[in-house]
Amino acid sequence: MLDQLEKIETRFNEINDMLTRPETISDQNRFRTLSKERSSAEEIVDKYRVYRKILSDIEGNNDIIHNSDDMELREMARAELIQLELEKGTIENELKYLLIPRDPHDEGGCILEIRAGTGGDEAGIFVGDLFAMYRYYIEKMGWRFQTLDFTEANQGGFKEMIIEVEGKGAYGKLKFESGVHRVQRVPKTETQGRVHTSASSVAVLPIIDDVDKEVVISPNDLRIDIYRAGGKGGQNVNKVETAVRMTHIPTGIVVQCQEERSQLKNREKAMKVLKSRIYEKQKEEHDAKIASKRKSMVGSGDRSEKVRTYNFPQNRLTDHRIGLTLYDLEGVMGGKIDDIIEKLQLAENEELLKAG
């Protein structure tokens, strides 16, 4: 572990030096990439330097205990040594977690897609409820979001809702939301008070920046259709062709965007979503190959996997991946999902440590 930490610190110092050079500052892509690398290493380096200081203090106290003629000083050194050994154990565990290989996109933004599943109108209403829950959480985290596309359903719900979330660490936290969310409650249209079960699926995709060069799309592999946007209001609606539908022929992935009044902006947004979906498909294929070697406690992130149940009559939320049960649905639907996400992150880290 110490060798690995030493290499990370050496690289960290190299990056600090490069970031001060004029040729780096003038190359914005290079500067952004190095800054991102520095940011991901900073916490590890800071923790390693504290750890190294503790090791030095332990060595110094041991030297006093074995070589000093001052009995009082030796007793002070022994007492301090007990505390130092406790701190050493704590920081070693923290460093182990920090050294777990991270998804390079964890610190970036994401595309959040919510779609109605089984349950008819109630599933569409639940899409709106989930969107509100995430909106409260996003605002609390100080992130920003914008709607990329949505399709309204009956009873005031949505067939689907797609948003872009911008903010440090958005993907790393929200990625655990991928999967099927099941709701059990009495619909407003139910006259006999029976509890109905419906579901909506959530998919969280990392935003793929051009500088990452991870998803290369050939123009020959794209079919782009331009059509008139549908929806309410606005002189532009149904008169000018601004809506964009992109089809990636090799994978069959289809993306559409009609939120903007500019065809160019709709193209840009559609391309961003398309890149994220292609990346996610590649990631799923890669993960499937290694699934036999390691099955994560928090699941595969597959949108067909049931991850959570919201039982309104019992005011109960259950996360099936880690067996977590909470009795505060009002708080959860109001965006209080921090504790759930932290427990999912911890479970994932524990699994990765075992696999490592």
Side-chain angles (χ1 to χ4, degrees):
M1 184 176 79
L2 289 176
D3 287 344
Q4 190 177 357
L5 289 166
E6 196 67 42
K7 289 176 182 176
I8 291 171
E9 185 182 36
T10 299
R11 175 60 180 165
F12 182 78
N13 292 333
E14 288 174 354
I15 293 171
N16 281 336
D17 177 59
M18 285 188 282
L19 286 171
T20 63
R21 297 176 186 174
E23 61 268 27
T24 304
I25 296 171
S26 62
D27 184 344
Q28 282 303 298
N29 280 346
R30 173 77 170 150
F31 186 84
R32 190 161 48 242
T33 301
L34 286 171
S35 296
K36 190 175 179 182
E37 186 181 350
R38 183 192 184 282
S39 177
S40 65
E42 186 171 17
E43 185 179 1
I44 297 176
V45 172
D46 288 345
K47 195 78 69 177
Y48 173 48
R49 287 170 178 170
V50 173
Y51 180 65
R52 208 163 49 198
K53 174 68 165 55
I54 291 173
L55 293 180
S56 175
D57 290 346
I58 289 174
E59 185 180 351
N61 281 34
N62 276 320
D63 183 60
I64 291 172
I65 292 167
H66 294 103
N67 299 311
S68 177
D69 296 328
D70 188 329
M71 186 175 295
E72 185 178 349
L73 188 61
R74 289 205 305 269
E75 287 305 313
M76 288 174 60
R78 285 193 183 95
E80 189 174 296
L81 188 61
I82 294 171
Q83 183 61 36
L84 286 169
E85 290 290 353
L86 289 173
E87 291 176 8
K88 175 175 173 277
T90 299
I91 206 164
E92 278 178 351
N93 287 331
E94 290 173 351
L95 283 168
K96 285 177 184 176
Y97 280 115
L98 288 171
L99 288 172
I100 293 171
R102 306 290 170 184
D103 187 319
H105 301 291
D106 276 357
E107 291 303 304
C110 63
I111 307 292
L112 179 64
E113 303 180 346
I114 315 170
R115 291 186 175 84
T118 57
D121 290 342
E122 181 64 15
I125 293 170
F126 189 49
V127 169
D129 294 339
L130 287 174
F131 168 64
M133 178 183 79
Y134 293 129
R135 188 186 70 222
Y136 293 136
Y137 178 67
I138 288 164
E139 290 171 351
K140 185 165 65 171
M141 293 298 292
W143 300 333
R144 299 180 307 279
F145 80 91
Q146 60 173 323
T147 303
L148 298 181
D149 197 20
F150 70 91
T151 305
E152 293 181 337
N154 298 327
Q155 304 295 327
F158 299 91
K159 292 181 180 177
E160 70 172 6
M161 172 69 72
I162 302 174
I163 65 173
E164 176 185 348
V165 184
E166 297 178 0
K168 183 176 174 60
Y171 176 68
K173 290 186 179 294
L174 288 173
K175 66 182 180 181
F176 295 103
E177 295 302 301
S178 286
V180 172
H181 295 240
R182 188 176 63 170
V183 61
Q184 295 172 326
R185 63 184 173 190
V186 179
K188 293 178 181 178
T189 54
E190 171 59 56
T191 57
Q192 298 182 27
R194 291 176 299 186
V195 174
H196 288 227
T197 298
S198 56
S200 297
S201 67
V202 175
V204 183
L205 319 173
I207 292 175
I208 307 302
D209 296 323
D210 287 333
V211 294
D212 288 340
K213 306 295 184 186
E214 292 180 70
V215 177
V216 179
I217 300 175
S218 169
N220 296 330
D221 291 338
L222 279 183
R223 184 173 72 244
I224 300 177
D225 300 308
I226 309 299
Y227 59 100
R228 292 177 182 177
K232 301 176 182 178
Q235 296 179 351
N236 191 45
V237 175
N238 295 325
K239 291 185 179 181
V240 181
E241 293 184 333
T242 58
V244 174
R245 181 184 297 110
M246 286 186 179
T247 304
H248 187 244
I249 297 168
T251 60
I253 294 173
V254 180
V255 171
Q256 63 183 32
C257 189
Q258 59 176 344
E259 278 301 286
E260 299 289 344
R261 293 182 177 240
S262 157
Q263 184 190 126
L264 179 61
K265 288 184 179 179
N266 280 327
R267 275 175 176 258
E268 290 173 351
K269 286 187 174 183
M271 180 60 77
K272 184 176 287 189
V273 176
L274 182 62
K275 281 186 175 183
S276 292
R277 287 192 187 168
I278 291 173
Y279 172 83
E280 188 69 8
K281 181 177 177 64
Q282 293 172 349
K283 183 174 180 293
E284 285 174 1
E285 290 172 352
H286 175 265
D287 289 348
K289 292 178 183 178
I290 63 171
S292 58
K293 297 180 182 178
R294 181 182 73 85
K295 174 62 177 173
S296 171
M297 284 176 62
V298 298
S300 63
D302 191 299
R303 68 195 68 181
S304 65
E305 177 187 11
K306 183 180 73 175
V307 295
R308 203 174 286 158
T309 296
Y310 305 71
N311 187 306
F312 279 79
Q314 298 179 21
N315 190 35
R316 185 185 74 232
L317 176 138
T318 303
D319 195 291
H320 304 288
R321 294 163 293 184
I322 54 176
L324 175 68
T325 299
L326 299 173
Y327 290 89
D328 182 22
L329 262 188
E330 183 179 351
V332 168
M333 301 314 292
K336 288 175 62 177
I337 58 175
D338 317 61
D339 191 45
I340 303 170
I341 289 173
E342 285 175 11
K343 284 181 169 59
L344 287 164
Q345 287 177 315
L346 181 61
E348 176 74 354
N349 285 340
E350 292 286 355
E351 189 70 11
L352 288 168
L353 272 177
K354 290 176 187 176

